[in-house]
Amino acid sequence: MPVFLPVIFPNLPSMIKTFVNISLLCVAIMSFTGCYYDVEDELYPDNNASCDTTAVNFAVVKPIFDAKCVGCHGGASPSAGIKLDTYTDAKVYLDASASRLVSSVKHDGNASNMPQGQPKLDACDISKISAWVSAGYPEN
Ligand code: HEC
């Protein structure tokens, strides 16, 4: 920084040069950290303002299960005997172990982390599943 400034502003008094140097350094740092810390999901993992968790029914969680779970928890030989492909199938497991399903997607240590071998679901999907189970996993 001090090396190239005299090239841009050859006649500036040295105090001003120092001030300009520090300002440029601040702007550089702020532009890096600004981009990183503005990731909303990381700042507010459980309080995502754009995540609608009101009136969550099976139609809302089914696309999440279909995309992330049914590959293993569906069909003729589902993993751990847990089927999530239809409402009736999901209800069988939830009636017995609803809290384990929520724990598994939250990775809170009270059940195996799901989806197995894959990254955690995004915060909004976890909030939706959690809200659905808390509401008594309504079908409609
Ligand atoms: C790659 C295959 C795979 C995927 C994808 C997967 N699971 Fe599983 N799941 C398993 C296997 C295998 C087990 C049994 C072994 C274990 O508990 O780790 C299991 C167990 C579970 C259990 C019981 C955990 C316990 O500790 O009692 C729950 C609940 C569960 N899965 C829910 C889900 C949900 C919800 C999703 C989607 C978000 C999902 N799984 C995605 C393979 C998978």
Side-chain angles (χ1 to χ4, degrees):
M1 209 77 83
V3 181
F4 73 77
L5 265 178
V7 179
I8 308 174
F9 308 110
N11 301 318
L12 283 180
S14 69
M15 261 178 66
I16 297 183
K17 275 186 206 160
T18 307
F19 176 76
V20 171
N21 266 334
I22 292 169
S23 305
L24 285 178
L25 191 63
C26 288
V27 169
I29 291 171
M30 282 159 71
S31 53
F32 279 115
T33 56
C35 290
Y36 179 75
Y37 285 110
D38 283 349
V39 178
E40 187 181 335
D41 284 352
E42 289 184 9
L43 271 179
Y44 308 109
D46 294 317
N47 185 26
N48 188 337
S50 62
C51 182
D52 184 2
T53 56
T54 56
V56 177
N57 58 20
F58 188 64
V60 172
V61 295
K62 184 175 172 25
I64 306 168
F65 290 160
D66 283 350
K68 304 286 185 176
C69 317
V70 165
C72 297
H73 296 289
S77 51
S79 294
I82 302 168
K83 275 170 75 66
L84 299 173
D85 28 18
T86 67
Y87 180 74
T88 312
D89 291 330
K91 189 172 184 301
V92 169
Y93 180 70
L94 287 163
D95 283 347
S97 313
S99 71
R100 295 193 78 82
L101 188 133
V102 175
S103 289
S104 74
V105 294
K106 283 189 170 172
H107 295 190
D108 70 3
N110 293 319
S112 302
N113 292 346
M114 293 292 142
Q116 193 189 59
Q118 290 166 43
K120 209 173 168 180
L121 299 180
D122 74 45
C124 185
D125 287 347
I126 295 170
S127 298
K128 284 176 178 169
I129 292 172
S130 173
W132 178 62
V133 172
S134 296
Y137 40 95
E139 180 169 14
N140 299 300

